[in-house]
Amino acid sequence: MGDPKGFLKIGRKPPPKRNVVERIQDYRYIYDTMPEDELRGQASRCMDCGIPFCSAGCPLGNLIPDWNDLVYRDQWREAIDRLHATNNFPEFTGMLCPAPCEPACVLSINDKPVTIKEIELSIINRAFDEGWVVPKPPEKRTGKRVAVVGSGPAGLAAAQQLNSAGHSVIVFEKDDRIGGLLRYGIPDYKIEKWVVDRRIAQLEEEGVEFRTNAYVGYDPSTEELKLDFDAIVLAVGALQGRELNVPGRELGGIHLAMEYLVQQNRRVVGLPILTEPEITAKDKKVVILGGGDTSADCLGNAHREGARSVQVLTHGPSPPEKPDDLTWPDWPFIFRTYPAHEEGGERKWSVGVTGFSGSNGYVEKMHVVRTERTPEGRTKPLPGTEDEIDTDLVLLAIGFTGPVRDRLLEDLNLKFGAKGGIVSDERFRTSDVPGVFAAGDAKLGADLIVTAIAEGRKVAREVDIYLMGESLLPTPDTFG
Amino acid sequence: MKTPNAGLYDPSYEHDACGVGFVVRADGRRTREMVEQGLEVLLNLAHRGATGSDPETGDGAGLMIQVPDAFFRRECKALGFELPPAGCYGVGMVFLSSEDEEGKDCGGWVERCVAEEGQRFLGWRDVPVEPGEVGELARSVMPRIRQFFVERRGLDEDSFERKLYVIRRRVHKIAHERSKRYNLVREDGSRCYVASLSARTAVYKGLLTGEQLPRFYPDLRDPEVASALALVHSRFSTNTLGSWELAHPYRYMAHNGEINTLRGNINWMHARQSQLESPLFGEDLEKLFPIIQPGGSDSAAFDNALELLTLGGRSLPHAMMMMVPEAWENDNLIDEERKAFYQYHSALMEPWDGPAVIAATDGRSIGAILDRNGLRPARYSVTRDGRVTLASEEGVLNDVVPPEEITERWRLQPGRMLLVDTEQGRILHDEDVKRSVIRRKPYHRWVEEGTISLKELIDAPAPNGQLEPSSLHERQRTFGYTLEDLSILLAPMGRDGKEPDSSMGDDTPLAVLSERPQPLFNYFQQLFAQVTNPPIDPVREELVMSLNMSLGPEGNLFDETPEHCRRMLLDHPILTGPELEKLRQLETPPFKSATLSTLFSVEEGEGGMEWALEELCKGAEEAIREGVNILILSDRGVDAEKAPIPSLLSTAAVHHHLVRAGIRNSAGLVVETGEAREVHHFAVLVGYGAVAIHPYLAFETLADIVGDAGELEGVSVEEASEKYIKAIKKGLLKIISKMGISTLFSYCGAQIFEAVGLEKDLVDRHFTGTASRIGGVGIKGLAREALERHRRAFAEIETNPAGLDVGGEYHLRVQGEYHQWNQTSVVALQRAVKTKSFETFKEYTEHFDSESARLSTLRSLFDFRRDPIPVEEVESAKEIVKRFCTGAMSFGSISKETHETLAVAMNQIGGKSNTGEGGEESERFLDERRSAIKQVASGRFGVTTEYLVNSDQLQIKMAQGSKPGEGGQLPGHKISEEIARVRYSTPGVGLISPPPHHDIHSIEDLAQLIHDLKNANPRADISVKLVAEVGVGTVAAGVAKAKADHITISGHDGGTGASPLSSIKHAGLPWELGIAEAQQVLVENNLRGRVVLQADGSMKTGRDVVVAALLGAEDFGFSIAPLVAVGCIMMRVCHLNTCPVGIATQDPVLRKKFTGAPEHVINYFFFLAEEVRQYMAELGFRKFDEMVGRSDKLTMRDTIKHWKAKDIDLSEIFYRPEVADEVATHKAEVQDHNLRASLDNEIIPRVRPALEDGNPVRLCMPIRNINRTVGGMLAGEIARRYGFEGLPEDTIRIDFKGTAGQSFGAWAPKGLTFVLEGETNDYVGKGLSGGKLIVASSPGAGYEPEDSIAVGNVALYGATAGEAYFRGFAGERFAIRNSGAEAVVEGIGDHGCEYMTGGMVVILGPVGRNFAAGMSGGVAFVLDENDTFRSLYNPEMVGLEVVESEEDVDLLRRMIVRHREWTGSEIANKVLENWSEYLPKFIKVMPNDLKRVLQERQAAELEVVQ
């Protein structure tokens, strides 16, 4: 720890953001960079705790105190090594992770936490700038072949890890580009796509093979895959959106959020829209249902597209402003304002949807009712509070129910758990078919990107053990 | 005597300490009077001995006299045989088995041996005894006591003495063989124990008290028993498994103290045997082996060696000087010849190191020598007619020798000797004795010519890493380096030159339970001194410490030739690369080195290492036979095929192999290893025989981080290496000093460690003699760990990115070592106590206790034998919580808010909180914030009489779990106004707690402190806090005999305060072992009923409490858990004052962040009690007391899968001694403190008018050395009524006459004045709290008061206020830890004013060495008439000034005037009469720290004025 009294001298300073008026004009990354000495001051606030709750709160077990200290002491080169030791893609998490480490920071008990996420991102940015991130192909190949199905963060992490252990890894992606949600789920203003490309290029140079437009189950078939590979990792994500079963749902202008986001992401980078109908928020009275990350992504996109108005409606009541003191170091249930919320729109709480109506097969009105939360934690409508909202675009961002049950999953005869994820044992092994592993959202249901990378690392070790009998691949809770 | 090992008790860890003394007539006239005076001395030392469970059975007493010829002649004649002329026959005193047949049998061997050795056996005499006079226990093990007589045949006097020695050794060996063959209980053959066999001396001793000795042996009362000298001893042993044999004197000596390096000394003596040659013994020599009789005590072993040296041709003083050298290494005041003598002899024998006074006689001369640090008292007086009395105390012959007859009254000084030669009729002082010995041979020239310092050798190029086939990184991984080794250990050492600190104990698994490969070093825990001998302060008392080492073959011990000192000298054991190369290049005599590789082939797997080790040992033996005398064991050259044998294993294996082969002394071991990096590693390597170590990888790593990481910004590679070496050196000094050892040379091979988790076979073979009590990993397991590390280092496919292991030993890392206190356990506990949810609490305890919990502690391996009853039948939680205490955490180490929160909580539930060692604000004494337990630690901060009387329990902290054997330091910036007030010190001025209590240098001193405290507050229980280590049971038994009411055994893993990392990790043992051992030994000795036994050290759950109770604890201490309950999140920055939750900090901003409340603590303890109840119900106990000591209810968990833990054997821990029903197994009776005998019982009724109404009272009374702690009870009475304020000055004045016993005037508060005509023993004015003490010799004394000793050692220790005027000298450590008293004295010994923080001292005469070491406050004025002071004081923390300010001059003069008034001092008179002449000769000693603070304060005041 560089400065034991850093936290007493310096207050938390969050990363600077571009101003709202400017940023909603484009899809560029919304954060600015912090001057280096200021950043190092922020890093000096880390107390190098005997129990680093931040690290324990990080699904990857990032060595946060270590690299905070290295940044404070201007040791960027060591910092990126320490960061890469636990995290394959710090730029992804640095930009996209909600950072459960920060509420877990000991300073969160009675002060403001260290700006861990910002420091993480600065380290990896610096490393790319300096040319320190170079492909490291393995020195030796084992001759084993591993198929990774899905190229989201879990699949990519698993691929890189397995490749480094000398296995030949082929990543199958049903879409036309690698990246999964990173590519077509998350808006550019949160992660510009060249950031993803940069990593994919590294992986390719390390020897990972990518096959796009390869919808496993069809091409190749499940049988072909099984024959061709010594092990299969299912990292297909959990993209099945949750439905809202109310009258009028079938009307036009009501879409699952992901349908909108995929189109929007393609539009931003100038790719053709492949699905019908085309969904746009431009000049629309947009209503977004649900209050999470996906909802916020829809919100940000809607403003950038030039929506007439946007309302974000949540079923339950508004969360409290302050966390319960017993929550630390866990993720607190509090009212959160994402950057997208700063950009406009109206948030409403305790709104239940009873149905939609419209004309010409298109939605015009949404019928709602006020809800209240019972002491048991259920939400129920309050009679006599019925109301209507004018709308011509409704986006359902109310969660996901697990992986899309496609042919591959059917062929493998998998079991699915209560949250919709593929059931596997503690060694990530699925079903009765030996050598088939599941990881990430596909296994857990929709979760954080950091969890996905962690899953990818863990499954890689398990696959390595399965193939070789032992493994030196590190995971979040082991070190080689 | 050895009793069978049972459970954890091992008799080889017994200790003793005692009273010792002799009387002698220099003219050599044999008189009856001398024998009687010897017995009188014994009687007056009775309080230094002890008794066990049977108050009539002493620990041992004895007397050695010259052979009383007339008496024996008469007796033998009556038995029917004539004795030859005096000197022509020898007398043997034998203890035989009491059964007749065995006795006869053994008698037969004696006769046979005598005959075979060509001497004539004359006959037996049954020594008359009166068994009715001794205790029952003593009687039950009483031997048959006989004497036999041997006539000298064809030999001169000296040869006959040697022959008798040979006969005795042969008899013992036969007995030993026999007992082994028949598997007899006493395997040392003590069924035939020859207490003495000599033509010159005879020993009478036994399991007796001093008083019983003449009653038991009618011989000693016979008027014809006469002698010119008498050596006596009264023993205080740490246990009572009584032994007649272990009573002193032995054949040559009696001893008070302890030999700490014993294991090494015995090993080295054994190793030396094969090289012995002596024309004096000739063929007989082999009959003497082994020289050190197995199974003896440290004193017995010392006696064996002394006897060999003396009979081998050296004079008695010469032999004693060899074994107990002065601290010559760093003392520039010692003359060159003397230094050369010691240096020469250091090549022959390592010091027998430890606190000791040794009195010895060969029947013609008698003398005594004191250890180099002066840690035992030895006072002597000489009469006009040449009689000399020397004893542990002054005043032992007061009744028969009036002061008028005494011409000299003095003390033995550190390292000094006194000898009385009755043949020449001379009394020889140190200089006189030693001069002739030192000049025997041209040692100085021999040393100049023979020794060569490593520095003088021509430089050799170092190979550095380039020759290594593998990269730095691969090698770091091979040797298990972690990122923490770099950032937490090496970088700070390379930067700051010291070991890093940490805090909050150690919560990682024991090495044997860790799932990560552990270095072998981690299986070894450092031992440390507690109670039976003091640790040393290696910083403040550096004078006595030495790291010097040397290399080269050792010569025949009996010879003295120039070749004997052909040694290569090393300043310390850490070699740089170039230094090692110098050694490696030595190829021609006198020095020839060889390098042996300690690598093994990976291909051969686990068995490969064992094979390689055997080859290595063979190779070492061959090399030596070829003339190699420096063996370099090297693990250089690791690569993908070759892995290193753990360096400790290769070192210890070679060492013991060579010892067994009898050629160990032919070569020195040097270790070149990549493994050793932290202080502990080096200590263990030296402890198992390495003389020097080159940690090449540590150096390479340092160079690497200097270059790369910038952790060592601005430090060059050279500087970093130097600093690193410096840090290791400091650390080594600390480790050896915590065992009370001063020289690394005698630590080498001394094996001051306990192994935890290593298989018995492995330890017996390669670490022979080391305790390893729970079994564990064998050699294959160690190989597995080595291979595991190797595999990671050389894996063909690298992980990405390639980094070192995170470690996580010190700060938790999720990828690293497991910590019990982690994100899950801390949070669950905090939520449970805040929400008062027992379910959440169960989540917390599940974390440690469930089947699936990570195994980290020994107790996690335990399971219970269940016998359930309904939980409703179990005693209530309200009762159980009363057994809970919070641990000793001082106000100063933790914030006021935290301290008071804990106190309030404990008072509410009826438990107890503990002040810790920082005192308590007097406002808290009587309200809810009061701590019931008041700690008395070595610093005595805030220990006033008022503090003592306001306690329920007084806890003497002998050691603390996180750093046993070490002192502490509170830096100035932590000492706020408030803290300074409570500690009686100055804000901003740093405070030091010494490693030892300077009034506890041995067990009888502890008994004295217990007595002192009990006197001050008879209502308080006296507790003694110990730390678990092998032998703690024996220490606990000693402590129970020293009259403690309560004993705490702390585990190694607890500890909240700041401590050096290596101490947190590597010293002390789990409390499971400590409690079990204490319980077993206390029960076996029938002492358990007298004490409450408390377990302490990182206890967390109800299960922990139950386990501790089943092992024997009935009271429980908690520190970390309650702190976590009030918000601690284990930051481990207690030492930095930056605790972010306001607990371990004094920063007002951070203190505001404290959110803990008493309810949190209360909830925690009630949950804990509730959980205890659940377990009790499962086990079938209704009452807590029923559960205590029921270790039969424990078993080992049968579900253990851990590969290392599987081989652990817990049966010794679970052993339950079989004792009669009436033997208590928990606290059942009240200690008898014998306060009735206190002189204060006479005083108090006579001073009632003063006590009750404040009317002045003046008394006169006689006093003797057996009157101890005079004034202590009265002090308590005054403080209870009047607090610290006391009474008006001189309200009570008592004039005493005589020699006062120890602790005269202890605790005296204001208003109490003692005037003593005579002198005192040690600890006068201990804890003086405002009273006034005057000591001046009687006007008629035959000696000059200003040249004589007036008060003993360690006067005014921990005084907070008051005045003292002593006419004459004080002993060593005058006014040590004084924080407020003002004193005048006319001369003092070594270490004066050490650690002083306040008050004033005027010294009107000579001072000893090391004056003002660690003095951070107060001032001293020294009259430096001979201009010597500048070479005697310790300049580290003080500056010298002239006395010039008006204020100072007035103060000094006023003090001297008062001194003259009270004592009639002639020096004072002379100084005052010639004031202007003397004033310039005074030097003012001013602490730098204090000066700085005063200047700052002055500057601040000036600012205000302006």
Side-chain angles (χ1 to χ4, degrees), chain B residues 285-300:
Chain B
L285 197 57
E286 291 212 357
K287 298 174 189 165
L288 304 174
F289 298 159
I291 299 297
I292 309 296
Q293 176 151 343
S297 64
D298 57 347
S299 316

Side-chain angles (χ1 to χ4, degrees), chain B residues 1130-1277:
Chain B
M1130 300 294 284
M1131 276 301 289
R1132 299 186 194 267
V1133 291
C1134 311
H1135 53 301
L1136 298 178
N1137 203 23
T1138 57
C1139 179
V1141 288
I1143 292 176
T1145 180
Q1146 303 306 324
D1147 181 330
V1149 175
L1150 292 170
R1151 277 168 53 192
K1152 288 206 186 84
K1153 294 178 185 271
F1154 179 73
T1155 55
E1159 294 67 51
H1160 301 155
V1161 181
I1162 294 170
N1163 289 345
Y1164 170 65
F1165 282 118
F1166 268 94
F1167 289 155
L1168 203 64
E1170 199 48 50
E1171 197 176 58
V1172 169
R1173 292 183 70 237
Q1174 293 179 350
Y1175 279 102
M1176 285 173 68
E1178 270 181 53
L1179 293 168
F1181 294 113
R1182 288 173 181 80
K1183 286 275 170 207
F1184 200 99
D1185 274 342
E1186 294 167 11
M1187 181 163 65
V1188 176
R1190 288 294 304 279
S1191 52
D1192 55 313
K1193 289 287 214 176
L1194 290 167
T1195 64
M1196 183 142 165
R1197 254 181 196 169
D1198 52 14
T1199 51
I1200 293 165
K1201 292 188 205 89
H1202 191 291
W1203 70 272
K1204 284 193 271 185
K1206 275 196 328 259
D1207 296 322
I1208 286 178
D1209 175 5
L1210 299 171
S1211 55
E1212 288 194 354
I1213 297 182
F1214 298 156
Y1215 169 79
R1216 190 166 174 234
E1218 279 170 41
V1219 289
D1221 289 345
E1222 65 272 15
V1223 173
T1225 54
H1226 57 83
K1227 168 87 172 173
E1229 57 183 296
V1230 177
Q1231 275 278 21
D1232 177 5
H1233 286 272
N1234 201 20
L1235 294 183
R1236 335 175 260 293
S1238 177
L1239 198 59
D1240 285 40
N1241 292 311
E1242 282 175 47
I1243 298 172
I1244 292 169
R1246 292 168 65 186
V1247 300
R1248 282 230 178 270
L1251 213 45
E1252 273 153 25
D1253 308 313
N1255 296 329
V1257 177
R1258 184 165 173 177
L1259 303 176
C1260 293
M1261 51 181 29
I1263 193 166
R1264 297 181 54 200
N1265 78 307
I1266 56 169
N1267 299 128
R1268 298 182 297 143
T1269 325
V1270 170
M1273 267 189 193
L1274 176 57
E1277 291 295 325

Side-chain angles (χ1 to χ4, degrees), chain A residues 61 75 140 326-327 470 472, chain B residues 709 791 796 799 813 815 831:
Chain A
Q75 298 297 311
K140 201 180 149 188
L326 290 173
T327 310
E470 58 177 20
L472 290 175
Chain B
R791 189 174 70 96
E796 283 186 310
T799 56
R813 289 289 177 270
Q815 300 84 351
R831 288 182 185 167

Side-chain angles (χ1 to χ4, degrees), chain B residues 871-887:
Chain B
V871 73
E872 297 72 38
E873 294 178 19
V874 176
E875 79 176 81
S876 70
K878 235 172 82 184
E879 284 304 307
I880 293 171
V881 292
K882 292 180 186 160
R883 296 174 182 270
F884 298 154
C885 308
T886 51

Side-chain angles (χ1 to χ4, degrees), chain A residues 1 4-5 7-8 47-53 55-58 60-63 65-66 69-70 73 75 78 80-82 84-86 88 106-107 109-111 136 138-142 160-161 163-166 202 206 325-330 457 468 470-480, chain B residues 477 483 486-488 507 516 708-713 788 791-807 810-816 819 821-827 830-832 834-835 973 1127-1133 1136-1142 1147 1149-1150 1153-1155:
Chain A
M1 174 181 38
K5 292 194 168 170
F7 73 101
L8 288 170
M47 305 183 292
D48 188 21
C49 302
I51 302 172
F53 287 87
S55 180
C58 172
L60 279 167
N62 276 345
L63 299 166
D66 294 51
D69 180 44
L70 289 166
R73 289 191 295 103
Q75 298 297 311
E78 281 69 28
I80 186 58
D81 283 350
R82 210 65 60 86
H84 267 150
T86 59
N88 300 63
V106 167
L107 281 175
I109 298 174
N110 49 31
D111 194 340
K136 285 192 208 153
E139 285 166 25
K140 201 180 149 188
R141 288 285 171 187
T142 60
Q160 188 174 38
Q161 292 297 97
N163 181 66
S164 77
Q202 183 204 359
E206 287 174 349
D325 357 308
L326 290 173
T327 310
W328 179 87
D330 295 337
R457 292 173 70 83
M468 310 301 292
E470 58 177 20
S471 178
L472 290 175
L473 287 177
T475 69
D477 50 16
T478 59
F479 202 96
Chain B
R477 287 174 79 119
L483 290 172
L486 271 53
S487 65
I488 294 190
D507 58 346
R516 306 160 65 81
D708 276 2
E711 291 239 19
L712 293 170
E713 225 162 349
E788 175 89 9
R791 189 174 70 96
R792 283 156 195 263
F794 290 98
E796 283 186 310
I797 295 164
E798 277 280 6
T799 56
N800 179 25
L804 289 183
D805 189 302
V806 291
Y810 306 113
H811 280 197
L812 183 147
R813 289 289 177 270
V814 280
Q815 300 84 351
H819 286 254
W821 287 112
N822 56 31
Q823 62 279 9
T824 316
S825 53
V826 165
V827 170
Q830 292 181 346
R831 288 182 185 167
K834 282 188 192 156
T835 57
H973 67 84
C1128 166
I1129 32 78
M1130 300 294 284
M1131 276 301 289
R1132 299 186 194 267
V1133 291
L1136 298 178
N1137 203 23
T1138 57
C1139 179
V1141 288
D1147 181 330
V1149 175
L1150 292 170
K1153 294 178 185 271
F1154 179 73
T1155 55

Side-chain angles (χ1 to χ4, degrees), chain B residues 607-621:
Chain B
M609 191 171 91
E610 194 168 2
W611 186 81
L613 196 61
E614 267 169 41
E615 288 300 302
L616 174 68
C617 291
K618 270 190 238 159
E621 197 178 331

